[in-house]
Amino acid sequence: MNATDEAIVRATQAGLPLVPEPWRAVARAAGVSQDELLARVSAMLADGRMRRIGAVPNHYALGYTANAMTVWDVDDEAVDELGEQVGALAFVSHCYRRPRRLPAWPYNLFAMVHGRSRAETEVRMAEIRAVLGAALRASDVLYSTRILKKTGLRLA
Amino acid sequence: MDELERAIINRLQGGFPLAARPFAAAAAELGTDEATLIEKLRAMLASGTLTRFGPMYDAERLGGAFTLCAMSVPADDLERVVALVNAHAEVAHNYERAHRFNVWFVLATAARAQIPQVIAAIEGETGYRVLDLPREQEYFIDLRLSA
């Protein structure tokens, strides 16, 4: 990443300034013209370094209190194909394969499910279980009970 | 939650305009005006309805390193451990979860080599083991909550 892009990330990682011309303010902070800034931001959106630009809601404030990290022990040969299918479910917001840490941690597939009640989340877990079928060996669910820290990305 | 707040959450989680007056452009689409939208965003951030407003970055694609960590901490030692973990600037967010592994946090560092260093520091300070669970494959990511 070049120095301009890095300066843009630094200038926006805490959020955009809430002023009528926020991009001009960011451009000034990054030491570039507004046109250059907008071109760099477009490029970062296009290549995925920037996922999107907008409002980031607090799950809890919206009533999404049953935020479950569902974890699954899935056969290694099947996990990538099934992971794609789990990720495609509309109610799954993030889906990753991660390493097992045996014996403490046997799960290799993680799917985040956000629901307004535990009952809703349980129904969704049953749908995931149906997708995983015979490749599933064990599963667990971890509900979040408290945000201990939430600062977003910070470049050191 | 009023109608404008609902519209901001449902329609402004992405697509903020790359324009000279982006709040004015976004406000027009939401049926309000620039000053009202800015004031509303300020209020939603202050009340905690929004955690932030601006670009969301993919830490790994920026060139940084990223991992998910888990710790199993007894309830009577939790506050001490959380304070020690959160004191590290590399801890981007941290959730308590109802499980034997009850502390889950994300580490974001500029370089991969820093991840084991931060983990070792946290293990040394707290006296508890940290599970390092980096993502090996991403299947999907697009969180859009509706209000």
Side-chain angles (χ1 to χ4, degrees):
Chain A
M1 197 162 64
N2 68 34
T4 301
D5 290 348
E6 208 169 303
I8 292 168
V9 174
R10 284 179 199 284
T12 57
Q13 60 189 347
L16 277 180
L18 298 178
V19 296
E21 298 188 307
W23 298 120
R24 187 171 301 284
V26 172
R28 199 174 298 125
V32 295
S33 70
Q34 179 168 273
D35 285 347
E36 168 72 2
L37 174 90
L38 293 178
R40 298 312 313 156
V41 170
S42 291
M44 283 196 266
L45 280 169
D47 67 24
R49 281 175 292 165
M50 205 180 269
R51 293 182 188 278
R52 59 177 178 267
I53 308 168
V56 183
N58 175 343
H59 305 165
Y60 295 90
L62 298 187
Y64 287 88
T65 53
N67 300 305
M69 185 170 74
T70 69
V71 294
W72 312 83
D73 177 10
V74 180
D75 280 346
D76 288 328
E77 311 80 67
V79 67
D80 285 338
E81 187 189 334
L82 293 171
E84 293 290 350
Q85 292 177 34
V86 171
L89 295 169
F91 53 82
V92 172
S93 62
H94 302 68
C95 190
Y96 303 114
R97 173 164 56 83
R98 300 184 185 276
R100 298 184 185 88
R101 299 299 186 203
L102 299 171
W105 188 256
Y107 307 107
N108 59 338
L109 182 68
F110 285 60
M112 293 298 309
V113 174
H114 297 270
R116 289 187 158 99
S117 69
R118 291 202 178 189
E120 188 180 299
T121 299
E122 300 291 338
V123 169
R124 291 171 167 184
M125 283 189 73
E127 288 181 53
I128 294 175
R129 197 169 286 117
V131 167
L132 296 176
L136 175 63
R137 285 188 293 252
S139 66
D140 206 345
V141 56
L142 293 86
Y143 288 100
S144 60
T145 49
R146 190 160 48 125
I147 298 175
L148 301 171
K149 184 178 187 184
K150 189 157 188 175
T151 56
L153 170 69
R154 292 254 196 282
L155 288 184
Chain B
M1 183 171 298
D2 69 25
E3 204 152 312
L4 178 55
E5 288 171 329
R6 204 175 295 278
I8 287 169
I9 286 164
N10 288 336
R11 291 159 60 190
L12 206 55
Q13 286 181 51
F16 188 63
L18 301 181
R21 301 284 293 269
F23 289 108
E29 284 192 27
L30 297 172
T32 185
D33 60 77
E34 181 184 61
T36 305
L37 176 58
I38 288 174
E39 193 40 55
K40 183 59 87 178
L41 289 171
R42 209 183 297 282
M44 291 171 82
L45 286 165
S47 70
T49 305
L50 299 183
T51 56
R52 57 196 299 279
F53 185 87
M56 293 286 287
Y57 290 98
D58 182 323
E60 272 176 306
R61 289 195 177 134
L62 285 179
F66 210 52
T67 196
L68 178 67
C69 294
M71 297 176 78
S72 180
V73 182
D76 62 6
D77 204 12
L78 189 62
E79 298 311 316
R80 180 187 74 91
V81 169
V82 166
L84 289 168
V85 170
N86 287 354
H88 289 267
E90 297 87 353
V91 175
H93 41 84
N94 190 356
Y95 286 88
E96 183 183 7
R97 295 186 179 278
H99 193 268
R100 188 167 70 82
F101 284 98
N102 52 341
V103 176
W104 288 80
F105 56 92
V106 169
L107 285 185
T109 63
R112 173 65 49 195
Q114 294 168 269
I115 295 275
Q117 294 169 6
V118 178
I119 287 176
I122 290 172
E123 288 182 329
E125 290 161 11
T126 63
Y128 296 99
R129 185 183 170 204
V130 174
L131 293 186
D132 177 15
L133 302 169
R135 81 182 178 196
E136 296 179 328
Q137 181 69 45
E138 173 175 348
Y139 300 113
F140 183 78
I141 185 160
D142 187 24
L143 175 56
R144 304 258 176 153
L145 300 173
S146 59

